[in-house]
Amino acid sequence: MSEPIVVELRLIEQTFRLNTTEEKREELERAAELLNQKFHDMRRSAPRVEHNKLVIMVALQMAQEVFSLNKSLQQYAHCERLLETMLEDVEQSI
């Protein structure tokens, strides 16, 4: 198990000190970059929206993306199971 480390990140115009491990540090930094990019994109498209509301809008947008990806993965898993069943049926009939 990896030793915990503290990483300081600038997220949505604020600085945070977050615990992670060296193995997960790059992933955390990429997630921070994505969050910041989405926040700045939303800020450009809605410059007059309050900071807190903008943060919630970004969080909601990202949650929708997660749900969409999960749905796609579930559909993929279902298709994979169907394909396995079909292959088994073909093998049995040969």
Side-chain angles (χ1 to χ4, degrees):
M1 186 153 189
S2 178
E3 289 293 315
I5 61 170
V6 176
V7 177
E8 189 170 285
L9 297 172
R10 185 102 174 127
L11 301 168
I12 307 178
E13 302 174 353
Q14 296 182 26
T15 302
F16 291 87
R17 292 176 55 84
L18 304 169
N19 293 328
T20 189
T21 61
E22 194 60 50
E23 288 80 20
K24 293 185 177 185
R25 179 185 189 142
E26 184 179 340
E27 186 177 284
L28 179 63
E29 289 171 343
R30 285 196 329 258
E33 289 173 17
L34 176 64
L35 177 62
N36 286 329
Q37 184 61 51
K38 289 193 175 288
F39 178 81
H40 291 300
D41 290 347
M42 187 75 72
R43 169 64 71 207
R44 278 192 292 280
S45 67
R48 289 187 162 80
V49 174
E50 295 174 28
H51 179 85
N52 290 343
K53 288 182 180 179
L54 200 61
V55 170
I56 291 169
M57 290 168 64
V58 170
L60 183 58
Q61 180 185 47
M62 293 181 80
Q64 284 179 307
E65 291 174 9
V66 167
F67 288 142
S68 178
L69 288 171
N70 280 340
K71 184 178 178 182
S72 294
L73 287 173
Q74 288 172 358
Q75 290 171 342
Y76 175 79
H78 177 71
C79 289
E80 190 175 43
R81 285 191 301 275
L82 285 175
L83 183 58
E84 286 175 6
T85 301
M86 290 168 64
L87 288 172
E88 288 172 4
D89 290 346
V90 168
E91 287 175 0
Q92 288 176 0
S93 65
I94 293 180

